[in-house]
């Protein structure tokens, strides 16, 4: 049994088409992972790269402890079940299942044992003597599964195995595959375009679109906390309602206005703490998302609700245990055409509303989703990126929520009122900046989102370990904060990533080697990162990755981007030529601002730095990106 590690996986075809872009994921042993998305999103291509049926253009794939990029499919200890059953029609079920084991010259007794066990697990023992043409679609799919599980693989790959079955059989086979996973206790990776299959089978789901991973999470979290409009609309039946609108802050409330209609509701401002204040100006356009079950037309619920809108009913679909009511929040809308005012409401019972009725609908405001109109990314992310606060700067101090901090010399701005952006990762749950009360700590995808109260505000921090609720003192990394005035940035956070340009080069270098007990000079090929004329030794493993990903010719001719942090650069007697522009003093830390090759680089330093300095990156911490296709290779 084994887990998988996919790091910066790309698939780029010769014409430049990127089928898979920067796929990163850690899959634990025994997980049931589902790749889901529309046709052409890259899910099957990713699966085929794991199987070894497609070459990996860039990135590292590990199965267990082994890097398998260049390993043959037969040596990866995986088994794959295809969309078409791919059974040999002239062989019996037993012979089909045993075929792969016989190719591996397994002893006859072992073959009989494995085939018999697989047949019992799949419930096809009575069909072992039959030919595939004598069996139904579901039975043939079981045979296909049997041929895979007798291999006793580390990883089972399933590429849309149920798409050729009818609806009833698909439901039955979903349960069979889930039961099989529980019995075998091995890692399953399953590809489908059917979101119902994904939601009912996966422990975690990877949602993909146009070759990019949109979100990786559990079925429940994908449904309740979609990261963008695509995920919100793809997951869930019927599809989430999307309206266009604006948000306007009015004191302790935010008014949500629905465009192209007279509908509007108010929500507490506390619901919007994660949203950037610029969204609350009544002008910025957003998508307002509400699932059909988050809207009620039950008279008792409507009567008690403070968040109601008018709906003109157009038609309904009675599905037995539920009824879908279609309508429009624009009284001139038809309710049939998919638009930004059409609405679908899910009722638990049959209703007597008819076409043309104008009714009140109550909205569950705790289930409202909001997405940026342009990027379609959630403006209320589950893991917030920033805390947005009002503040005042006076006499070299910054004051916010009853907290007063002395600004370091690196932060210079006039006295006045500003908008303060504090990244959630700039806050540490130990320090001396302010006393807070921790109210909640939630683990989300390996990170801990800590909610705490400061003054009358709820704020957030992201930590690497769990934090206890109760009293605490926070620290704030001031080099990460930003100050805005009238929408313009006055003080920027110090960049966390430094980007330089260069190429990979190779040279013959004389080395002393030992031959038959004697030392001799010999010329060997060595690789270097060339950055502005300075040659930084490139490890052979890194050079191999670059050559494999880019090809021999392009690896030494194409431009590369080199990325590192200010902590991974240092000054030396020989290095990348740099001009020192300034030194930023943040109190405990100082950073030299340098110009190197037309790029600005920030370098941790002790104090003043002489002009004409030379920079050297830590080669072990250098990220390397192919510039032409923006592919991260190392």
């Amino acid at each position: 049994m084994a887990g998988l590690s996919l790091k910066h996986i790309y698939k780029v075809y010769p014409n430049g088409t990127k089928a898979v872009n920067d796929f990163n994921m850690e899959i634990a042993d025994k997980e049931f992972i589902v790749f889901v998305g529309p046709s052409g999103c890259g899910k099957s291509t990713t699966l085929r790269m794991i199987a070894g049926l497609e070459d990996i253009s860039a990135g590292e794939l590990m199965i267990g402890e082994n890097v398998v990029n260049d390993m043959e499919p037969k040596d990866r200890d995986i088994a794959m079940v295809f969309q078409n059953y791919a059974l040999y029609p002239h062989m019996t079920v037993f012979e089909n299942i045993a075929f792969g084991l016989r190719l591996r010259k397994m002893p006859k007794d072992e073959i009989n044992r494995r085939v018999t066990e697989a047949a019992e697990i799949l419930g096809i023992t009575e069909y072992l003597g039959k030919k595939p043409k004598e069996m139904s679609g579901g039975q043939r799919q079981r045979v296909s599964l049997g041929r895979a599980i007798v291999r006793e693989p580390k990883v089972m790959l399933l590429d849309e195995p149920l798409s050729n079955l009818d609806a009833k059989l698909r439901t039955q086979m979903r349960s069979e595959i889930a039961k099989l996973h529980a019995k075998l206790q091995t890692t399953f990776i399953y590809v489908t375009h059917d979101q119902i299959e994904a939601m009912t089978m996966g422990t975690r789901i990877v949602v993909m679109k146009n070759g990019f991973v949109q979100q990786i999470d559990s079925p429940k979290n994908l449904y309740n906390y979609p990261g963008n409009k695509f995920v919100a609309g793809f997951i869930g039946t019927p599809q989430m309602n999307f309206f266009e609108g604006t948000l306007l802050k009015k004191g302790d409330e935010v008014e949500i206005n629905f465009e192209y209609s007279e509908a509007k509701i108010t929500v507490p401002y506390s619901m919007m703490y994660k949203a950037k204040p610029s969204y609350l100006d009544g002008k910025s356009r957003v998508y307002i998302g509400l699932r059909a079950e988050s809207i009620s037309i039950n008279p008792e619920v409507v009567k008690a609700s403070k968040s109601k809108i008018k709906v003109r009913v157009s038609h309904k679909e009675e599905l037995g245990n539920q009824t879908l009511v279609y309508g429009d929040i624009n009284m001139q809308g038809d309710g049939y055409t998919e638009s930004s005012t059409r609405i679908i409401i899910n009722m638990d019972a049959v209703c007597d509303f008819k076409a043309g009725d104008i009714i009140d609908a109550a909205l569950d405001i705790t289930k409202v989703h909001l997405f940026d109109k342009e990027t379609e990314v959630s403006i209320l992310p589950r893991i917030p990126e920033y805390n947005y606060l009002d503040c005042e700067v006076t006499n070299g101090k910054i004051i916010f929520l009853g907290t007063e901090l002395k600004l370091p010399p690196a932060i210079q701005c006039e006295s006045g009122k500003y908008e303060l952006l504090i990244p959630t990762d700039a806050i540490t749950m130990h320090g001396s900046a302010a006393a807070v009360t921790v109210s909640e700590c939630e683990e989300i995808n390996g990170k801990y989102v800590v909610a705490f109260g400061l003054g009358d505000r709820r704020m957030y921090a992201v930590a690497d370990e769990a934090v206890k609720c109760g009293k605490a003192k926070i620290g704030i990394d001031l080099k990460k904060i930003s100050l805005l005035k009238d929408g313009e940035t006055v003080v920027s956070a110090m960049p966390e990533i430094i980007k330089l340009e260069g190429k990979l080069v190779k040279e013959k270098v004389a080395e002393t080697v030992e031959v038959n007990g004697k030392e001799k000079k010999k010329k060997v090929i060595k690789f270097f990162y060339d950055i502005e004329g300075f040659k930084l030794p490139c490890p052979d493993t890194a050079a191999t990755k670059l050559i494999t990903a880019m090809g021999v010719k392009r690896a030494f001719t194409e431009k590369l981007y080199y990325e590192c942090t200010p902590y991974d650069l240092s000054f030396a007697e020989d290095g990348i030529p740099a001009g020192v522009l300034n030194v930023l003093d943040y109190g405990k830390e100082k950073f030299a601002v340098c110009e190197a090759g037309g790029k600005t680089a920030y370098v941790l330093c002790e104090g003043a730095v002489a002009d004409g300095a030379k920079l050297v990156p830590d080669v072990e911490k250098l990220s390397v990106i192919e510039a032409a296709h923006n592919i991260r290779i190392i």
Side-chain angles (χ1 to χ4, degrees), residues 110-132:
E110 180 65 13
I111 291 174
N112 288 336
R113 181 189 70 80
R114 291 196 184 190
V115 173
T116 302
E117 283 184 5
E120 288 176 358
I121 289 171
L122 296 166
I124 54 173
T125 303
E126 59 191 281
Y127 302 106
L128 288 175
K130 291 187 176 184
K131 300 282 181 69

Side-chain angles (χ1 to χ4, degrees), residues 125-144:
T125 303
E126 59 191 281
Y127 302 106
L128 288 175
K130 291 187 176 184
K131 300 282 181 69
K133 66 180 180 181
E134 302 173 66
M135 306 176 74
S136 69
Q139 291 164 344
R140 292 180 198 176
Q141 192 57 273
R142 284 190 176 91
V143 176
S144 181

Side-chain angles (χ1 to χ4, degrees), residues 3-25:
L4 289 87
S5 174
L6 296 93
K7 295 179 180 177
H8 305 299
I9 299 293
Y10 288 82
K11 179 62 184 179
V12 184
Y13 291 104
N15 64 0
T17 301
K18 283 198 278 189
V20 177
N21 292 268
D22 203 17
F23 191 109
N24 290 278
M25 188 178 187

